[in-house]
Amino acid sequence: MTQEPISLASALASFAEQWSPRIVTAVNDYDVRVAKVEGEHVWHVHDHTDEFFLVLDGTLHIALREPAGERVVVLPKGSVFTVPRGTEHKPYAPVPTAILLFEPTGTLTVGDRHDQVPGHVDATSGHALTPGAF
């Protein structure tokens, strides 16, 4: 299979669903995913993997429950943050936001343990891009 360049803007324009990532490529055993997000996600934890976030557009807040207590990190456009494995966290986007995620293939968006998943959050390991979307 020949690999071709992928436009992240075109990939993001190919779907409308919030909190429903699309897999744009793979690096070894990791998926590179893009997602549109707005509003709250769900408190969750990935027991065996870190979770990498890059904000492509908008602003992402990530609430963290750490041994020292709760805190919120704010990621403006162009910022990156890695949630360490085993850290309970809850992403929130106060405005429409586009993010890129880097996670092991098969990792669920709601982690290994989570609160009740609201209807607007897609509990998935990512969806394939629509052919020709990029």
Side-chain angles (χ1 to χ4, degrees):
M1 177 170 125
T2 302
Q3 190 72 346
E4 295 296 329
I6 297 170
S7 161
L8 294 180
S10 295
L12 284 160
S14 73
F15 65 97
E17 296 83 8
Q18 299 284 325
W19 301 109
S20 183
R22 299 306 191 267
I23 300 167
V24 295
T25 192
V27 179
N28 298 316
D29 298 331
Y30 283 76
D31 288 339
V32 178
R33 306 172 186 172
V34 293
K36 295 178 178 181
V37 300
E38 186 175 12
E40 294 189 3
H41 194 265
V42 61
W43 280 106
H44 67 285
V45 63
H46 301 276
D47 290 326
H48 306 290
T49 185
D50 301 335
E51 187 171 18
F52 172 87
F53 293 87
L54 164 63
V55 178
L56 301 170
D57 193 33
T59 302
L60 184 69
H61 297 210
I62 304 175
L64 303 161
R65 290 181 176 155
E66 300 172 311
E70 284 192 23
R71 71 180 175 117
V72 175
V73 295
V74 178
L75 306 172
K77 180 180 177 177
S79 296
V80 299
F81 185 77
T82 300
V83 175
R85 72 190 70 200
T87 301
E88 193 173 9
H89 60 287
K90 180 180 183 180
Y92 167 76
V95 297
T97 297
I99 59 175
L100 182 141
L101 303 155
F102 189 70
E103 299 177 296
T105 299
T107 300
L108 288 174
T109 57
V110 295
D112 301 304
R113 295 177 282 122
H114 53 80
D115 285 350
Q116 183 173 347
V117 179
H120 69 278
V121 172
D122 186 7
T124 180
S125 58
H127 300 282
L129 280 177
T130 303
F134 44 89

